[in-house]
Amino acid sequence: MAFADLLEQVGSVGRFQALHVTLLCLPILMMASHNLLQNFVAAVPPHHCSVQRNLSLSKLSPGDILLITVPLDKNGKPQRCQRYAAAQLHLLAKNDTFSPVEDTDYEEELDNVQDVDLQECTDGWDYNMTERSSTIISDWDLVCDQRSLKQMGQTIYMGGVLVGAVIFGGLSDRFGRRFLLLFSNLLMAVAGTCAAFSTSFSVFCCFRFLCGMALSGLVLNSFSLIVEWIPTRVRTVVGTGTGYCYTMGQLILATLAYFIRDWRWLTLAVSLPFYVSFLYSWWFLESARWLVLNNKPEQAVKNLKVVARVNGRNEEGEKINLEMLQESMKKETSCSQNTYSALDLFRTPSMRTISVCLSAVWFSTSFAYYGLSMDLQKFGVDIYLIQVIFGAVDIPAKVVVTVSMSVLGRRRSQCAALILAGVTILINQLVPYEKQTVRTSLAVLGKGCLAASFNCCYLYAGELYPTVTRQNGMGWVSMMARLGAMVSPMVLLLGEYIVWLPGLIYGGAPILCGVIAVFLPETLGAPLPDTIQDVEERYDAITNAILTFFKFK
């Protein structure tokens, strides 16, 4: 009798699993809010240099003051980072007839600006706050020479997610999924609250870094607790349902951001729910698989009996004893006497192949995903609307990939999602910038493909890695994903020098890694492996077949 048989005995799909999965999925609703929070709390409002403080212009209208103190750019809008060194009062004489857009002397006026002394915004900036009542950009003047700090803030947050993946991946294999899940909920709640009351950009980044760490702990441990309490036959459906929680989270973020225009209150609103999830997380049962593999079989038996009682199978639960459990996990227990680390992900041939290929898949998916999702203002569409569209496209995308994973298999679905996303992004580079509707539509399609890829790779990685190293494995690939998310904002800065280069990089990476994913083994219908030996035995036949094919060729 295997552990899967014991799970069937106490009820593998019953009230316990329904309640267990639902409660674990609720915090995931707010994870998207933290990942994409930067789109709203760091939205860049229209701005220009403030008027010199020593000027007395109280008799002039705001439009006249702007005309004589701030030059216009090539689009006829006030320059963001320069102003006249001295007020150009002579421009008032032309104010009745001069129009920046229509006047035929506009080019001549621009040429005259070149002969006028300009200076930086030494007295600060004036912001048009009609869209947001406040952002970190307006509060801390992260514009002009400081504009790269906006992307740096997101990179620091993703750095926290990366560090969290490394730390929490190993610690949960040692101390258990439940304990780390509790700690991650509390850390997210406290760090998010503190970020909302930050007094400087550096303090804000420190707490956002901790939020990133907490998010990794939540994702890794929630996923493991879900997978290790459900049978193989429903993993695809449950994995997809979990992904839809993240999708709904994007829509929740757009709604909250629309009604809460102050960045501090918005940050607080997406953090407070984690206090609630921290409180009810004490109810969760530790993974019985983990308890057995860490020499705690008595507690595993108790947990299985609780599951049986909740599922209405008291009689079947009472039949389970220590001897039965140890016999079902005999093979796994004998293979788990040693402590496993990240090195075990690369120590044997099959594990090495899996880890290298999954690293490429996760890196490219996250890299391109955040490249598209973290700069909504570039589309020239209302940021609340585009956030809703970007979130809504995940719904059909995940339906398609769910069917595809169940019919065509995980590997083909993963490859197709990545390659199609890359091709869509590259095609978008050929569309003229003026055709914003076409560009936005292609970006939405590409984002949908990347969301499908994310949905697939979370389930795929959990099925490929064995129980004894699953957390280390998920921590490793999550680290690679966050590395991609960290690099992604920096690539956007290249667009200031070569406009088409970021799109080429964002499109090329998924295509390359989609090809690499071909070398991953298929897991459709396969039981969840418990040990490294299970993985090696399962895929030896596949490896030998590939070697034989190339040798024959």
Side-chain angles (χ1 to χ4, degrees), residues 372 379 390 424-425 428 438-448:
L372 288 177
F379 295 109
F390 264 32
T424 304
I425 295 171
N428 207 359
V438 178
R439 289 174 58 83
T440 301
S441 299
L442 287 171
V444 168
L445 177 59
K447 197 266 184 182

Side-chain angles (χ1 to χ4, degrees), residues 354-412:
I354 289 171
S355 296
V356 170
C357 292
L358 283 178
S359 296
V361 167
W362 281 66
F363 178 90
S364 62
T365 300
S366 182
F367 174 76
Y369 183 93
Y370 288 102
L372 288 177
S373 301
M374 291 309 303
D375 193 16
L376 300 185
Q377 289 181 299
K378 69 182 177 184
F379 295 109
V381 182
D382 180 80
I383 58 174
Y384 308 103
L385 175 61
I386 194 66
Q387 180 64 66
V388 169
I389 295 173
F390 264 32
V393 73
D394 289 10
I395 298 175
K398 290 177 179 179
V399 169
V400 172
V401 80
T402 299
V403 175
S404 177
M405 284 191 294
S406 299
V407 177
L408 301 179
R410 278 60 158 156
R411 179 173 56 191
R412 291 179 181 177

Side-chain angles (χ1 to χ4, degrees), residues 244-505:
Y244 275 122
C245 289
Y246 187 88
T247 298
M248 294 303 298
Q250 297 179 60
L251 304 181
I252 291 173
L253 173 62
T255 303
L256 289 174
Y258 182 82
F259 289 104
I260 305 176
R261 301 298 178 104
D262 183 277
W263 75 267
R264 294 184 185 275
W265 286 107
L266 178 59
T267 303
L268 188 63
V270 300
S271 301
L272 292 179
F274 290 96
Y275 286 107
V276 178
S277 58
F278 167 73
L279 293 176
Y280 72 65
S281 291
W282 290 93
W283 174 86
F284 291 130
L285 295 179
E286 182 58 86
S287 165
R289 291 174 182 267
W290 180 87
L291 289 169
V292 174
L293 295 176
N294 285 270
N295 300 316
K296 298 180 179 180
E298 296 85 359
Q299 185 60 47
V301 171
K302 292 181 181 178
N303 287 1
L304 286 169
K305 290 184 177 181
V306 170
V307 173
R309 186 165 60 252
V310 174
N311 286 337
R313 297 193 176 188
N314 288 327
E315 294 183 4
E316 296 296 328
E318 292 301 323
K319 296 178 182 178
I320 297 177
N321 53 44
L322 196 59
E323 293 74 19
M324 183 184 298
L325 180 62
Q326 290 175 333
E327 181 64 29
S328 68
M329 296 289 289
K330 185 176 181 180
K331 177 182 176 182
E332 290 80 359
T333 304
S334 64
C335 295
S336 64
Q337 298 301 316
N338 298 324
T339 301
Y340 293 91
S341 67
L343 293 177
D344 292 291
L345 302 176
F346 301 91
R347 206 179 297 276
T348 58
S350 296
M351 290 291 292
R352 186 160 51 246
T353 300
I354 289 171
S355 296
V356 170
C357 292
L358 283 178
S359 296
V361 167
W362 281 66
F363 178 90
S364 62
T365 300
S366 182
F367 174 76
Y369 183 93
Y370 288 102
L372 288 177
S373 301
M374 291 309 303
D375 193 16
L376 300 185
Q377 289 181 299
K378 69 182 177 184
F379 295 109
V381 182
D382 180 80
I383 58 174
Y384 308 103
L385 175 61
I386 194 66
Q387 180 64 66
V388 169
I389 295 173
F390 264 32
V393 73
D394 289 10
I395 298 175
K398 290 177 179 179
V399 169
V400 172
V401 80
T402 299
V403 175
S404 177
M405 284 191 294
S406 299
V407 177
L408 301 179
R410 278 60 158 156
R411 179 173 56 191
R412 291 179 181 177
S413 301
Q414 185 72 76
C415 295
L418 281 172
I419 294 174
L420 183 57
V423 170
T424 304
I425 295 171
L426 291 180
I427 292 176
N428 207 359
Q429 302 308 300
L430 305 177
V431 179
Y433 183 79
E434 294 75 19
K435 297 184 178 181
Q436 291 291 346
T437 302
V438 178
R439 289 174 58 83
T440 301
S441 299
L442 287 171
V444 168
L445 177 59
K447 197 266 184 182
C449 292
L450 291 169
S453 177
F454 254 132
N455 200 65
C456 185
C457 66
Y458 267 105
L459 179 65
Y460 203 7
E463 293 179 337
L464 286 168
Y465 284 123
T467 302
V468 293
T469 62
R470 183 167 295 118
Q471 285 301 97
N472 279 327
M474 294 301 293
W476 171 261
V477 294
S478 181
M479 181 184 72
M480 296 305 298
R482 304 319 163 193
L483 183 61
M486 283 181 63
V487 175
S488 188
M490 298 296 101
V491 173
L492 286 174
L493 297 178
L494 296 176
E496 296 183 9
Y497 306 99
I498 305 176
V499 176
W500 49 264
L501 187 56
L504 178 63
I505 297 174

